[in-house]
Every structure is written in C-alpha cells, then in structure tokens.
C-alpha cells in the first residue's frame, strides 16, 4: 500500500496532479486507512501511469476520461495522432513564415506560392510580372483562401505545359505594345482557344458576388493598355459561349 506522496514519487507526477485526476474522474479514489489517508495499490499505479502517458502525449484530460471509459482506444489514438500531425504541419509552416519575416520578407503567402514565384524569373518572366503576381496572390489568399489554393494549384501546373507557358510569357511581353497592335488580337485568339480546351464550359471562378476578381483584373488592366484590351477581348469571346466566371 502506498501513500499519495509515494505514488506520486514513483510515477513521476505531483500529488496535486493525482488529486486533479481524482476530481475529474480519471483515477478512482482509493480506500482510506483508519487515519483517513488514501492508500494506493499497484493497480492504481498502473492506471496512473497510463493516464500520465496519454496526458504527456498531448491528449486533453476530458478526452482521456472518454477514451479510458470506452472501446476503440487504438483507433481514437490514431485519430488524435492524425490531428497532431496536421497541427505540427501547420506549426512548421508558421515557423517557416516567421523565419522569412525575421529575414525581412513580409509576405504572408504560403510557402508553395513563394516557391512558385521564385521560379518565374528562371522561366523568362519579367520582374514586373513577378511583382504583380505576388501582389495579386496576396490579395486573393487574404480574402478567399480556399478558392485561392485551388486556383493557385491550377496556375502552378501551367509551366509544365510548354504551349500554355508560351502563351503566358507572351501575355507578359505585350505589356508595352500599342493596345491595337495585331499581336494583341492574335494572342487573344490563342488564349481563348487554350482556355476552352483546358476548361470547357467550367471556367475557374471565385464566390459569386465577390468583388475580388474585379479588383484583381482591374490591377492587371491598370498597369498596361495592351493588357486592358486583351482582357476585354478575352471576356467578349469567352462569354459569347459561357457565363462570365468573374461576374
């Protein structure tokens, strides 16, 4: 038979912790001796060790009671492990962003977006294009994170297609052209054909009624009359057969 102090010392917890476990129903109250002191058996020590192990693994006390009382402990622990893995991944991403902030990089964009933007100059894109893309993704991820992730993955896959990459590079390069240059019209035709081939009638979109797509495209158009006219041509030719995803 052990006193509460002896039990705490052997298991490696405090007597206060044991009393908390009693109060929360995790560890049954033992019998008391004639003097009114708790007296613990080996079985109590075993139970306490199991509870301590779960607590040290990060399982909340309320959940420990639930797990200890029911069946399916292994499956429940696996679910907890999955939750912890997701939290660890999120914390690691946070640490990575904190390191970038400490280095003077104030961008809150996800790591995958930062990496993608970092590859663009090597693909032939101008610094102007990369800066614009950075600012636009900042806006989209801040306002529509779920949609942003989906649309970003779609855009990030484009460099793997040489034909699409060539079109986007040409989009970047017509920035300084006269808006009525025949090359603007020719690029619009090729972009419409590529867009219809890639998406069919289901063009990428954001939440209906959102003002963000208009802000994004407005920022693009404002930087170049040629880009503004190209956007106008694309809208006219794409919406002639499909609903406007940006409306």
């Amino acid at each position: 038979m052990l006193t509460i102090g002896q039990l705490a010392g052997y298991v490696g917890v405090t007597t206060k912790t044991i009393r908390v476990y009693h109060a929360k129903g995790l560890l049954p109250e033992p019998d008391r001796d004639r003097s009114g002191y708790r007296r613990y058996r080996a079985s109590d020590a075993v139970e306490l060790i199991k509870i301590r192990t779960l607590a040290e693994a990060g399982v909340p006390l309320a959940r420990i009671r639930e797990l200890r009382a029911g069946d399916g402990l292994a499956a429940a622990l696996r679910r907890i492990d999955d939750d912890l893995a997701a939290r660890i991944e999120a914390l690691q991403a946070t640490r990575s962003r904190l390191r970038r902030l400490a280095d003077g990089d104030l961008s809150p964009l996800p790591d995958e977006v930062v990496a993608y933007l970092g590859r663009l100059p090597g693909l032939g894109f101008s610094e102007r294009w990369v800066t614009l893309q950075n600012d636009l993704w900042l806006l989209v991820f801040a306002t529509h994170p779920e949609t942003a992730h989906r649309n970003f993955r779609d855009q990030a896959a484009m460099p793997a297609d040489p034909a699409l990459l060539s079109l986007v590079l040409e989009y970047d390069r017509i920035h300084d052209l006269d808006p009525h240059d025949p090359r603007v019209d020719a690029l619009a035709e090729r972009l419409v054909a590529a867009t219809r081939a890639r998406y069919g009638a289901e063009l990428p979109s954001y939440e209906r009624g959102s003002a963000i797509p208009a802000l994004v495209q407005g920022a693009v158009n404002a930087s170049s009359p040629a880009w503004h006219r190209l956007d106008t041509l694309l809208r006219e030719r794409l919406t002639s057969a499909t609903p406007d995803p940006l409306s």
Side-chain angles (χ1 to χ4, degrees):
M1 303 291 285
L2 300 172
T3 65
I4 190 171
Q6 289 172 323
L7 177 65
Y10 285 131
V11 175
V13 298
T14 65
T15 56
K16 180 179 179 181
T17 296
I18 295 175
R19 293 190 181 98
V20 169
Y21 291 168
H22 286 323
K24 292 186 176 296
L26 296 173
L27 185 68
E29 285 273 2
D31 295 332
R32 294 176 181 262
D33 62 17
R34 293 176 182 175
S35 300
Y37 293 106
R38 298 180 180 91
R39 294 298 178 183
Y40 296 87
R41 300 176 183 274
S43 59
D44 297 315
V46 171
E47 290 302 305
L48 181 57
I49 289 169
K50 292 178 180 178
I51 295 167
R52 184 203 65 186
T53 301
L54 289 169
E56 288 178 346
V59 182
L61 295 185
R63 194 71 192 280
I64 292 175
R65 180 179 179 181
E66 187 182 313
L67 293 174
R68 302 280 292 138
D71 298 325
L73 177 61
L77 290 177
R78 281 194 292 272
R79 288 195 297 272
I80 292 171
D81 181 67
D82 291 341
D83 291 342
L84 287 172
R87 288 167 56 193
I88 289 170
E89 184 177 352
L91 287 170
Q92 288 173 335
T94 299
R95 286 189 68 194
S96 178
R97 287 194 293 272
L98 288 173
R99 291 192 193 101
R100 292 206 310 270
L101 290 172
D103 291 337
D105 181 359
L106 301 181
S107 172
L109 286 169
D111 290 345
E112 60 180 340
V113 182
V114 173
Y116 168 77
L117 294 173
R119 292 195 298 271
L120 292 182
L123 295 172
F125 288 97
S126 67
E127 181 179 346
R128 173 193 59 238
W129 180 270
V130 177
T131 300
L132 179 63
Q133 291 292 309
N134 180 86
D135 292 346
L136 297 182
W137 282 120
L138 276 174
L139 177 61
V140 173
F141 270 94
T143 56
H144 297 291
E146 293 185 6
T147 307
H149 278 285
R150 183 179 69 244
N151 287 354
F152 169 73
R153 286 192 293 269
D154 179 69
Q155 185 177 113
M158 288 186 184
D161 184 327
L164 286 175
L165 176 60
S166 175
L167 287 173
V168 181
L169 281 168
E170 190 171 351
Y171 197 131
D172 178 15
R173 291 164 185 164
I174 69 165
H175 180 273
D176 297 324
L177 291 182
D178 182 280
H180 296 286
D181 189 298
R183 286 172 287 182
V184 176
D185 293 76
L187 178 58
E189 285 293 335
R190 294 199 300 276
L191 283 170
V192 167
T195 301
R196 286 178 173 158
R198 186 175 177 86
Y199 302 110
E202 297 295 328
L203 301 182
S205 63
Y206 291 89
E207 290 83 347
R208 183 166 294 280
S210 171
I212 297 305
L215 286 176
V216 168
Q217 193 59 53
V220 174
N221 294 345
S223 67
S224 162
W227 283 357
H228 193 175
R229 183 160 185 274
L230 179 60
D231 175 58
T232 300
L233 293 172
L234 291 174
R235 286 172 179 271
E236 290 174 352
R237 297 172 189 182
L238 287 171
T239 56
S240 64
T242 59
D244 186 352
L246 300 180
S247 62

